[in-house]
Amino acid sequence: MTNLTTLLALSDSRLPTGGHVHSGGVEEAVTSGLVRDLPTLHAYLRRRISTHGLVTASLAAAVHRGILPAAAGERGDAETDARTPAPAARAASRAQGRGLVRLARRVWPAEDWAALGATPHLAVAAGAVGRAGGLTPEHTALSVVYTTMTGSATAAQRLLALDPGDVAAVTFGLSELCEQTAGEAAEELADLSDPLLDVLAQRHLDRERPLFAS
């Protein structure tokens, strides 16, 4: 039976993996005027789920299944690099992957986490963690897609001083898209990219005193 409690824990925003300091491009989108209210946040989240969320979740599911080896320097790492054009986005992915593995070492100490290297991509770490936690590849993909959405939604809530209830309603409204995207991600590797998200990631590096790391 799938460990649904583990799935819930991995999807919890309180998980101490460092994800709370990453906005997924929302900080730069707010600064640029692309995200300014609930409708534009909704549009941004849909786009992020359908592009970045799909790709990251598909990589995580492939690592979970063993299709992509998770060890440092092997295909999981290389395939993620190839699907993450922006250097800033690659750095953010590795920072979050490092945080997830740091937690995983405490929760599943019997696993060989050292094989992933010091800074694995988030997708690689998520796939390895999903397998160690007894999830199905589909649920590993769902946890990645869900946190891709909620991380950006929470950041926008803070940056725009939005009503938490309104933001939660937006995320509930995107639940079907999250399910569909996770299902697609679990079937095969996705290789699309989103130039806008890449530009936002790079531009964020030039900001003075940003609230978020990405």
Side-chain angles (χ1 to χ4, degrees):
M1 181 178 292
T2 299
N3 191 339
L4 293 179
T5 301
T6 300
L7 174 62
L8 292 172
L10 289 173
S11 303
D12 194 327
S13 62
R14 296 171 297 180
L15 202 68
T17 60
H20 64 283
V21 303
H22 295 271
S23 77
V26 162
E27 182 169 18
E28 191 57 40
V30 168
T31 302
S32 302
L34 298 175
V35 174
R36 54 191 180 277
D37 50 24
L38 289 171
T40 51
L41 173 60
H42 181 273
Y44 183 89
L45 294 177
R46 283 190 66 89
R47 181 168 185 159
R48 183 161 164 75
I49 290 166
S50 301
T51 56
H52 177 80
L54 172 63
V55 171
T56 306
S58 74
L59 289 160
V63 168
H64 185 134
R65 285 196 169 98
I67 297 172
L68 291 181
E74 295 198 13
R75 279 193 62 209
D77 191 68
E79 294 284 351
T80 307
D81 265 341
R83 288 166 171 77
T84 315
R90 291 199 294 269
S93 171
R94 290 186 182 279
Q96 292 177 79
R98 181 179 65 243
L100 182 55
V101 169
R102 179 175 177 272
L103 174 65
R105 285 194 179 99
R106 298 187 182 190
V107 181
W108 299 283
E111 298 291 327
D112 181 17
W113 300 109
L116 273 64
T119 56
H121 276 292
L122 176 60
V124 174
V129 165
R131 185 171 61 242
L135 301 184
T136 65
E138 292 78 10
H139 281 159
T140 291
L142 182 59
S143 71
V144 171
V145 173
Y146 176 78
T147 53
T148 293
M149 172 184 67
T150 55
S152 293
T154 301
Q157 177 184 309
R158 294 171 60 186
L159 291 163
L160 295 170
L162 298 172
D163 186 313
D166 289 339
V167 174
V170 168
T171 61
F172 273 108
L174 291 168
S175 59
E176 184 176 354
L177 177 62
C178 287
E179 294 274 1
Q180 293 173 349
T181 302
E184 183 178 347
E187 290 179 359
E188 61 181 358
L189 277 170
D191 58 5
L192 78 166
S193 63
D194 190 328
L196 174 62
L197 296 184
D198 293 334
V199 169
L200 292 175
Q202 284 303 119
R203 191 185 295 170
H204 186 271
L205 292 180
D206 297 328
R207 286 181 51 78
E208 293 186 7
R209 298 182 181 180
L211 181 62
F212 292 92
S214 69

